[in-house]
Amino acid sequence: MSVLQVYSSLSSSSPRATISRTLQSIASAPPINPPSCKALIQLIIDDLQAVIIDGSPSRLIRDDALSALSAVKGLGRIPHGAQVLASVPNLKCLMTLAIKLETTPDASNEALKCIANTLLLSEPARTTLLSQDIDGGNICIELLQKSATPENTFLSSRILFLCTASPHQSASFIQSIVETKRTHFPGNGTIIDVIALKLDDLIASMQAGIKMSRDAMTDLLKLTFNLLIHYPKLVPSELQYPALAGSPDDQKVMGDFWNSRLDGILPSLVHAFQTIPLSSPNPLTSPLTHIIHSLITIPVDSSSRAIWFGTLPHSRPTTPQLNSAEPTTSSLTGSSHDDQSTPKEHIERAISSVIPAGRRSFHHSPLPDSSSTADCASRAYELLDMTLAHFLPGDIDSDDPAVRDLCKIDGDTSLDEIVCPLVLLITRLCLGDDDAKTRIRQWLVPEDLDRTHPLEKRADLLGRCLRLLASVYHSRLKDSMGEMLYAMCDSNATTLAGYFGYGNVAGFLFHKGVVSAPPVSATSGAPPITASGLPINPITGTVEHPSENIDMTDEEKEHEAEKLFVLFDRLEKTGALPPSQNPYRKAFQEGKMG
């Protein structure tokens, strides 16, 4: 007999052990044919509706709820099963079960897992859940608010994250939850206040090593990112960069607009950024990466300076203690699918259009208790140093195949995806705060920097940053690293070349329209000499040694000239050198060569 026939043959008078074994066999059974799968799901859902919600006769009793929902979850892993669960009556039944079974947390959570898996496999189900017939979004916010364990928080956050993934489907819901004050929440806060409180709770859970706390924070931050990225586009919001005035919504880059209703999230995000345990050896893993994604969207300005950088004097960054990451779940328990959750498209658009941070005020953002010592500039610099030291050990070339292999160990990803968001955050910190910009620059290129050896060969963060500027394989990181160094140097080409040597930044500046070495300027801020008084070569950025006379025969001189001619000719033909900049062509045109 098929599992459908076996279950259909049961009745309320069947032995409880038989019903239990049947439900367990359904939960662990391999996929069955679509018609049987659909029919069996509906039978079990109807029985749960009868016994738990309606109080009418059923094959099942209340104690069977966990096993029955596990069976539904197993059957709903495939699209045909999810299609049945995506109907209004069935989603409403599952949401009601999650509430009515709250005294049996495992069963309540199993109902939420069924909903989350359905939303993952069926996008229309997300709109259905938010409809007035179910009001599942607001119910999940109440569940999130009351959640007492990381698993509760994880499931509620996962459902809300999926429901807010598309602003076209959930615009009114996103606007409503950001603006609606919740009377049952302390202080009548909005969803932003609920998230902030849960973030603080999860920091403590992560520090205590409580199971699923990382997963819960990750999905809570995915929800946070959705709200921060979508809400400012749905309502009148402050433009952070005047040049963008009049831009259509679909061309607004992440961080271009901000709304004061979102202010309350910054202190908790900064607190999490500063305090969550780091994974080892690569610190840039979830949920830290998701914290960074959210921070990128928030303006850095004078009114929020104390939150971003603290109020105490700052010192040079030190490497923080790394901890082994707690095991995480890549997808919902019982689900064979996962969502593409990294906000990659938004990050890429922001990297391609790095702009100065906001010119606005944070009127109501309270500081967390640790605000006096928090310094996001120092933390971000530490993380960049640690991350690049892991992926680019020693003085290895950034395009070495070993680097790409090391990235794949952490998952099928690239150095671009791993590091670019952090580099973009540091860029925004430099653009938004002059003091942070100066400190970061001093950490990277201190006054007493040893300039006797090539800067790009150094086995430290400076050397790794400069080697990335010449990378072929990591093109996005190459561009974003250039923007970071450029912002660090007052967005001034002369200053950039002065600190790092024109030869190291020539490629970046060429793409900025600077096709030759910018003139040396006493007002650029870049040091013309080292701390010990030695002149700095503007091309290499290293100590300039007196040139030695090299004795060459006429034949040797002619041979070297031929090699230079071929080199410049090749550069011109490949487009790397404009014809007007070819010294040999200039010499011919000016009649200086016979």
Side-chain angles (χ1 to χ4, degrees), residues 411-452:
D412 189 14
T413 185
S414 67
L415 204 59
D416 283 345
E417 294 181 12
I418 296 170
V419 186
C420 276
L422 177 60
V423 173
L424 178 57
L425 176 61
I426 295 174
T427 303
R428 289 189 180 275
L429 296 179
C430 290
L431 291 171
D433 187 83
D434 287 340
D435 179 66
K437 173 182 62 182
T438 301
R439 287 187 291 118
I440 292 172
R441 186 177 64 225
Q442 289 174 344
W443 294 332
L444 190 64
V445 279
E447 291 181 3
D448 59 354
L449 177 69
D450 179 7
R451 292 181 178 267
T452 58

Side-chain angles (χ1 to χ4, degrees), residues 75-87:
L75 293 168
R77 291 175 185 172
I78 59 175
H80 292 99
Q83 185 180 352
V84 177
L85 294 176
S87 68

Side-chain angles (χ1 to χ4, degrees), residues 304-498:
S304 60
R305 189 181 190 284
I307 305 176
W308 281 104
F309 307 112
T311 56
L312 295 181
H314 301 106
S315 58
R316 187 177 178 84
T318 57
T319 303
Q321 184 69 33
L322 290 173
N323 295 307
S324 296
E326 125 192 4
T328 61
T329 56
S330 60
S331 62
L332 276 166
T333 303
S335 173
S336 59
H337 299 76
D338 194 19
D339 55 279
Q340 300 300 317
S341 57
T342 301
K344 181 178 174 183
E345 294 80 3
H346 297 292
I347 299 291
E348 287 179 355
R349 292 178 65 194
I351 289 171
S352 66
S353 181
V354 177
I355 60 173
R359 308 285 191 270
R360 54 168 315 283
S361 298
F362 278 67
H363 301 294
H364 307 295
S365 297
L367 294 178
D369 294 338
S370 60
S371 62
S372 60
T373 57
D375 180 17
C376 288
S378 175
R379 178 71 159 181
Y381 185 90
E382 292 167 359
L383 291 170
L384 183 63
D385 192 7
M386 294 160 56
T387 303
L388 292 185
H390 169 59
F391 288 107
L392 302 172
D395 60 355
I396 189 173
D397 186 89
S398 60
D399 288 336
D400 191 297
V403 176
R404 300 194 293 280
D405 293 340
L406 195 56
C407 292
K408 291 178 181 177
I409 293 176
D410 281 8
D412 189 14
T413 185
S414 67
L415 204 59
D416 283 345
E417 294 181 12
I418 296 170
V419 186
C420 276
L422 177 60
V423 173
L424 178 57
L425 176 61
I426 295 174
T427 303
R428 289 189 180 275
L429 296 179
C430 290
L431 291 171
D433 187 83
D434 287 340
D435 179 66
K437 173 182 62 182
T438 301
R439 287 187 291 118
I440 292 172
R441 186 177 64 225
Q442 289 174 344
W443 294 332
L444 190 64
V445 279
E447 291 181 3
D448 59 354
L449 177 69
D450 179 7
R451 292 181 178 267
T452 58
H453 301 287
L455 302 185
E456 70 277 11
K457 299 292 185 182
R458 295 172 63 93
D460 61 3
L461 180 57
L462 173 58
R464 294 176 182 115
C465 290
L466 295 181
R467 288 195 292 278
L468 280 166
L469 291 183
S471 175
V472 173
Y473 286 102
H474 313 295
S475 58
R476 284 197 294 124
L477 181 55
K478 168 186 174 180
D479 293 341
S480 58
M481 186 64 71
E483 293 291 351
M484 183 191 80
L485 298 178
Y486 189 62
M488 194 183 300
C489 293
D490 306 319
S491 301
N492 183 289
T494 301
T495 304
L496 180 69

Side-chain angles (χ1 to χ4, degrees), residues 87-109:
S87 68
V88 171
N90 288 344
L91 279 176
K92 186 173 184 178
C93 174
L94 288 170
M95 188 58 74
T96 305
L97 290 172
I99 297 170
K100 288 188 171 292
L101 293 170
E102 281 185 302
T103 54
T104 313
D106 288 344
S108 177
N109 287 343

Side-chain angles (χ1 to χ4, degrees), residues 9 20 48 65 92 120 144 151 285 347 468 506 538 546 558 563:
S9 67
S20 179
L48 286 168
K92 186 173 184 178
L120 185 61
L144 175 63
E151 185 175 14
T285 59
I347 299 291
L468 280 166
E558 186 176 342
K563 287 199 298 184

Side-chain angles (χ1 to χ4, degrees), residues 85-346:
L85 294 176
S87 68
V88 171
N90 288 344
L91 279 176
K92 186 173 184 178
C93 174
L94 288 170
M95 188 58 74
T96 305
L97 290 172
I99 297 170
K100 288 188 171 292
L101 293 170
E102 281 185 302
T103 54
T104 313
D106 288 344
S108 177
N109 287 343
E110 206 71 1
L112 293 176
K113 290 175 187 177
C114 291
I115 295 172
N117 286 341
T118 301
L119 302 186
L120 185 61
L121 295 173
S122 172
E123 287 194 23
R126 303 172 189 179
T127 304
T128 302
L129 190 75
L130 297 179
S131 66
Q132 291 184 348
D133 292 331
I134 303 176
D135 197 25
N138 283 307
I139 293 173
C140 281
I141 293 176
E142 292 178 9
L143 293 175
L144 175 63
Q145 180 180 323
K146 295 186 296 182
S147 61
T149 67
E151 185 175 14
N152 297 148
T153 303
F154 167 67
L155 292 168
S156 300
S157 300
R158 170 60 65 97
I159 292 171
L160 289 167
F161 155 65
L162 292 171
C163 285
T164 56
S166 170
H168 304 294
Q169 296 176 332
S170 56
S172 60
F173 175 68
I174 291 174
Q175 184 173 346
S176 171
I177 63 175
V178 171
E179 298 174 1
T180 301
K181 295 185 178 295
R182 304 197 164 265
T183 55
H184 299 297
F185 187 78
N188 294 336
T190 68
I191 183 63
I192 298 300
D193 301 292
V194 174
I195 292 173
L197 180 62
K198 289 303 169 183
L199 280 175
D200 292 338
D201 290 344
L202 288 170
I203 292 170
S205 297
M206 285 184 63
Q207 292 172 336
I210 296 176
K211 182 182 178 182
M212 288 199 73
S213 55
R214 281 184 177 272
D215 300 283
M217 182 175 282
T218 295
D219 274 65
L220 185 62
L221 289 164
K222 293 177 187 176
L223 166 63
T224 304
F225 181 82
N226 284 351
L227 300 180
L228 297 182
I229 201 70
H230 296 320
Y231 181 74
K233 297 179 182 180
L234 299 174
V235 298
S237 299
E238 265 186 72
L239 185 65
Q240 303 308 309
Y241 191 50
L244 296 171
S247 298
D249 286 352
D250 60 356
Q251 293 181 13
K252 292 177 181 176
V253 177
M254 180 174 62
D256 288 352
F257 291 79
W258 186 253
N259 190 283
S260 61
R261 291 182 183 273
L262 304 171
D263 287 354
I265 198 63
L266 179 59
S268 292
L269 284 174
V270 168
H271 183 45
F273 183 61
Q274 294 285 345
T275 58
I276 67 167
L278 301 179
S279 59
S280 175
N282 170 26
L284 289 187
T285 59
S286 61
L288 179 60
T289 49
H290 295 284
I291 295 173
I292 293 170
H293 294 158
S294 291
L295 287 174
I296 290 171
T297 69
I298 303 177
V300 181
D301 60 23
S302 58
S303 65
S304 60
R305 189 181 190 284
I307 305 176
W308 281 104
F309 307 112
T311 56
L312 295 181
H314 301 106
S315 58
R316 187 177 178 84
T318 57
T319 303
Q321 184 69 33
L322 290 173
N323 295 307
S324 296
E326 125 192 4
T328 61
T329 56
S330 60
S331 62
L332 276 166
T333 303
S335 173
S336 59
H337 299 76
D338 194 19
D339 55 279
Q340 300 300 317
S341 57
T342 301
K344 181 178 174 183
E345 294 80 3
H346 297 292

Side-chain angles (χ1 to χ4, degrees), residues 558-576:
E558 186 176 342
H559 180 63
E560 290 299 318
E562 288 177 354
K563 287 199 298 184
L564 285 173
F565 176 81
V566 171
L567 175 62
F568 283 115
D569 185 59
R570 185 179 303 160
L571 288 172
E572 182 179 323
K573 288 179 178 178
T574 58

